[in-house]
Amino acid sequence: MKTIKFEVRTSKHTQMLDITREVQRAVTESGVRDGICTVFIPHTTAAVTINENADPDVVRDFTMELGKIVPWEDGYHHMEGNSAAHLKSSMIGFSEQIIIEDGRLLLGTWQGIYFCEFDGPRSRKCFVKIMEGQDGVRLL
Ligand code: ZN
């Protein structure tokens, strides 16, 4: 199955954008009912994570605390001046896997998929790969 790509346009330097709807759309359009969905971020200063999408303060606290753990300026050597963004991206990670059941992402009630921007605003890409489960294959 081909890789689905979509664009994310961030508007702030540090931002978490809920991309659950876009990923679900990719699953729906694939027609896959049962399988695995991988979301991959092809950038070195952005990431993807799954967390609560009910209270926006969770996302605010998330970025606030990450900024304390990895301050923007801390005597880094990287000439581009965005070492903090590189570090945060690797800490959070560049991919997530979600189970697909009955054509839906099998997320918890309060879970959403977040694109994490650490050096915006920018135009970014998200890759989604969907693998269909195979009937008759059993793991022992
Ligand atoms: Zn850099």
Side-chain angles (χ1 to χ4, degrees), residues 78 80 82 86:
H78 180 42
E80 202 185 2
N82 62 354
H86 289 298

Side-chain angles (χ1 to χ4, degrees), residues 13-25:
H13 182 266
T14 301
Q15 191 174 15
M16 288 172 72
L17 285 171
D18 190 336
I19 56 167
T20 311
R21 194 175 300 167
E22 287 79 1
V23 178
Q24 177 61 56
R25 186 180 306 133

Side-chain angles (χ1 to χ4, degrees), residues 32-127:
V32 170
R33 305 292 301 162
D34 290 276
I36 298 284
C37 172
T38 300
V39 180
F40 181 77
I41 308 302
H43 300 286
T44 60
T45 55
V48 64
T49 193
I50 295 172
N51 217 305
E52 179 174 329
N53 66 354
D55 178 1
D57 280 342
V58 171
V59 163
R60 214 171 68 177
D61 291 346
F62 193 103
T63 54
M64 182 178 77
E65 290 306 302
L66 263 182
K68 289 181 189 170
I69 296 165
V70 185
W72 186 252
E73 288 183 24
D74 199 20
Y76 304 116
H77 295 270
H78 180 42
M79 277 172 44
E80 202 185 2
N82 62 354
S83 275
H86 289 298
L87 289 166
K88 288 177 189 174
S89 296
S90 280
M91 286 166 67
I92 302 306
F94 302 99
S95 69
E96 287 288 352
Q97 282 199 320
I98 307 109
I99 296 167
I100 301 165
E101 196 174 87
D102 295 328
R104 307 285 310 167
L105 293 165
L106 197 58
L107 291 165
T109 307
W110 308 109
Q111 286 183 318
I113 306 165
Y114 282 96
F115 179 91
C116 305
E117 173 64 81
F118 296 123
D119 193 17
R122 291 185 194 223
S123 187
R124 302 288 205 170
K125 288 187 185 76
C126 283
F127 294 160

